Amino acid sequence: TLVNYSLKEFLPMVYDVTARFLVEQKGYPKHLLQCEDPELKLMRQGLILDRTTHHILDVSSTGELISVHDGKCFLTKEKISSIYPDSSWPHHGAFYKAFDCDVSSSPTSYFFFDSPFVSPVVPLITKHLGTLSRAEPNFEEKSTIFYKDLIESFSFNYNPDNFKTKSGFYFTEMIKNTDKYICKASQKFKDRLKELKDNGVKLVVVTASHIDYTELLMHHAYGPDWRDYFDLVCCRARKPGFFTSSPSSRPFFLWNNKLKVVDKGIISELDPKGTNLEGHWTMVDKWIKCNAEKPGRVAYVGDSFKSDIISTKLFTSWDLFAIVLEGRNFPRDEVENCDHVNKKRHLNKSDSIIGSNSWGSFFWKPRFHDYDSREAASPF
């Protein structure tokens, strides 16, 4: 959340490392390695893969199906109604109820593309499903194996322990070309962090990344003194369990920076000078309130719908602020009293990869008569 990724480079790289795993480790066809710009337009946060129907879905907060893609094209309004009664997703209630439990007991029938680390996989799925025929007797078996391999690719590339061993394609690429994918934090933003801290606001880093990867990113973005901007650093938080689990099942540990290992003992108090690992949000909440100069509320800023936003909303007493990448397409007007309703869409060249002409905006749903035009424009 604190690091600004160069999305024009980063998002295609996420597609590439996932495709490489499928091709090099699982023997999938090499055409999966090739991803053209029109195909990337099928990428967007907030989409859902329904493994029971093998459809990619855009679902509203009430369960209404805004758009449905079957791997080859977008379905028309009539086709959606014929498959889904009342054009509603029948698993909507169960899907969101899953966030009321630990991630380990979440249903396996759907997958949520909730962050830029997984959303570029959407065009990879449609590319593969587009080569299969639903009339094939073994279509279900092939699809199930593909989804299993896809999940395995995330473990292969994103396991925090892989940074130390330089395993997987993701960390190897990030270490080799950090400057290509990570932007430097602006001096204005760093000054703002310093101002908040000087005014008594407690600034805490809570990240799912391990300390070594966190160090790489933050050192590059904020400089070698990056810790000076924050009061407390918590790594490998294992979100959403950091929020959803019971406090007793999520103790904190301390990173031994000298030996580069995790100290064995459980800590009862957080260390503002060290690196606190794993743990539970209640202990962070207690630390902030005990060390704050004056009473106040805790504001949490996150960018992953599942790991940050939904779980924080359901399980904590914190105020929540969500960072949505597509917001870059709608920069704040310099004029204070601008007409936000009629403001025209504006894309910076570096951020144009975020917008999806196929799915439409993350912030509002298209009218149903837009289906035919989007179907005709689909690269599949």
Side-chain angles (χ1 to χ4, degrees):
T1 303
L2 284 163
V3 172
N4 186 14
Y5 290 86
S6 177
L7 297 177
K8 185 179 180 181
E9 307 290 347
F10 182 78
L11 296 177
M13 184 269 285
V14 171
Y15 177 99
D16 180 65
V17 298
T18 308
R20 282 186 61 193
F21 173 83
L22 294 175
V23 173
E24 297 178 20
Q25 303 290 324
K26 296 296 181 179
Y28 284 83
K30 291 185 178 181
H31 75 87
L32 292 180
L33 296 171
Q34 303 168 354
C35 187
E36 305 298 331
D37 286 344
E39 294 172 327
L40 283 175
K41 290 301 180 181
L42 282 172
M43 168 188 62
R44 207 203 70 193
Q45 282 183 268
L47 301 176
I48 298 170
L49 167 64
D50 186 338
R51 301 185 202 179
T52 64
T53 59
H54 311 289
H55 289 159
I56 305 290
L57 312 174
D58 187 9
V59 186
S60 74
S61 60
T62 60
E64 177 189 1
L65 287 166
I66 301 171
S67 301
V68 178
H69 199 289
D70 68 355
K72 289 183 169 62
C73 64
F74 283 97
L75 304 186
T76 63
K77 176 184 176 181
E78 291 72 26
K79 185 67 174 179
I80 293 175
S81 299
S82 68
I83 300 174
Y84 301 94
D86 301 320
S87 297
S88 295
W89 189 41
H91 306 292
H92 175 258
F95 176 76
Y96 285 100
K97 188 176 181 180
F99 294 104
D100 278 329
C101 57
D102 198 351
V103 67
S104 60
S105 57
S106 297
T108 58
S109 298
Y110 3 96
F111 186 84
F112 193 20
F113 301 98
D114 71 316
S115 76
F117 296 94
V118 292
S119 58
V121 176
V122 172
L124 182 59
I125 294 174
T126 57
K127 183 190 285 282
H128 178 70
L129 290 179
T131 64
L132 302 179
S133 170
R134 292 174 180 261
E136 293 181 32
N138 56 352
F139 172 77
E140 289 289 338
E141 180 183 0
K142 285 184 176 180
S143 301
T144 300
I145 293 174
F146 174 71
Y147 300 146
K148 178 178 176 293
D149 292 338
L150 199 61
I151 298 300
E152 189 176 337
S153 75
F154 298 146
S155 299
F156 177 81
N157 281 311
Y158 297 135
N159 186 329
D161 294 328
N162 289 350
F163 183 92
K164 182 179 180 180
T165 60
K166 293 182 174 59
S167 304
F169 302 130
Y170 175 79
F171 287 118
T172 303
E173 179 64 20
M174 289 297 293
I175 293 171
K176 181 181 178 181
N177 296 302
T178 309
D179 189 60
K180 180 179 179 181
Y181 303 112
I182 304 299
C183 303
K184 302 286 187 181
S186 68
Q187 188 60 48
K188 182 178 180 181
F189 183 68
K190 290 192 288 186
D191 289 344
R192 179 56 175 159
L193 290 177
K194 186 176 184 302
E195 179 186 357
L196 288 171
K197 189 177 178 182
D198 291 344
N199 288 333
V201 176
K202 296 301 176 183
L203 299 179
V204 180
V205 176
V206 178
T207 175
S209 300
H210 210 336
I211 180 57
D212 45 14
Y213 184 54
T214 301
E215 184 69 40
L216 174 75
L217 300 185
M218 297 297 284
H219 185 283
H220 183 84
Y222 292 87
D225 60 344
W226 67 270
R227 284 177 175 267
D228 294 344
Y229 294 101
F230 305 98
D231 298 282
L232 189 69
V233 175
C234 303
C235 293
R236 204 167 185 177
R238 298 183 186 272
K239 297 179 284 186
F242 182 82
F243 301 107
T244 62
S245 300
S246 62
S248 60
S249 67
R250 292 280 177 156
F252 269 102
F253 301 89
L254 197 61
W255 174 252
N256 188 318
N257 197 48
K258 183 178 181 179
L259 300 178
K260 304 299 181 184
V261 295
V262 181
D263 284 340
K264 294 181 179 180
I266 295 173
I267 59 175
S268 57
E269 293 186 4
L270 298 177
D271 183 359
K273 295 183 179 181
T275 300
N276 306 276
L277 301 177
E278 304 188 24
H280 195 265
W281 74 272
T282 53
M283 200 162 170
V284 175
D285 185 71
K286 179 181 178 181
W287 183 91
I288 293 174
K289 292 176 179 177
C290 288
N291 290 275
E293 295 183 5
K294 54 184 178 181
R297 294 186 61 80
V298 177
Y300 182 82
V301 182
D303 58 4
S304 169
F305 296 148
K306 180 177 71 173
S307 298
D308 292 316
I309 299 166
I310 298 176
S311 53
T312 304
K313 179 69 175 179
L314 290 176
F315 292 92
T316 77
S317 58
W318 294 349
D319 293 330
L320 175 63
F321 294 86
I323 293 180
V324 181
L325 292 182
E326 200 183 12
R328 290 189 184 187
N329 296 345
F330 306 92
R332 181 178 297 175
D333 200 302
E334 293 184 0
V335 181
E336 183 175 355
N337 296 318
C338 63
D339 183 356
H340 292 281
V341 175
N342 297 314
K343 183 163 46 175
K344 293 183 178 180
R345 180 184 180 91
H346 171 74
L347 287 175
N348 297 320
K349 288 185 177 180
S350 61
D351 293 337
S352 60
I353 192 172
I354 307 171
S356 174
N357 295 329
S358 301
W359 292 101
S361 171
F362 170 83
F363 293 103
W364 63 81
K365 66 179 182 179
R367 296 181 178 86
F368 272 128
H369 65 69
D370 291 337
Y371 274 100
D372 292 337
S373 61
R374 285 185 294 127
E375 185 177 12
S378 172
F380 302 99

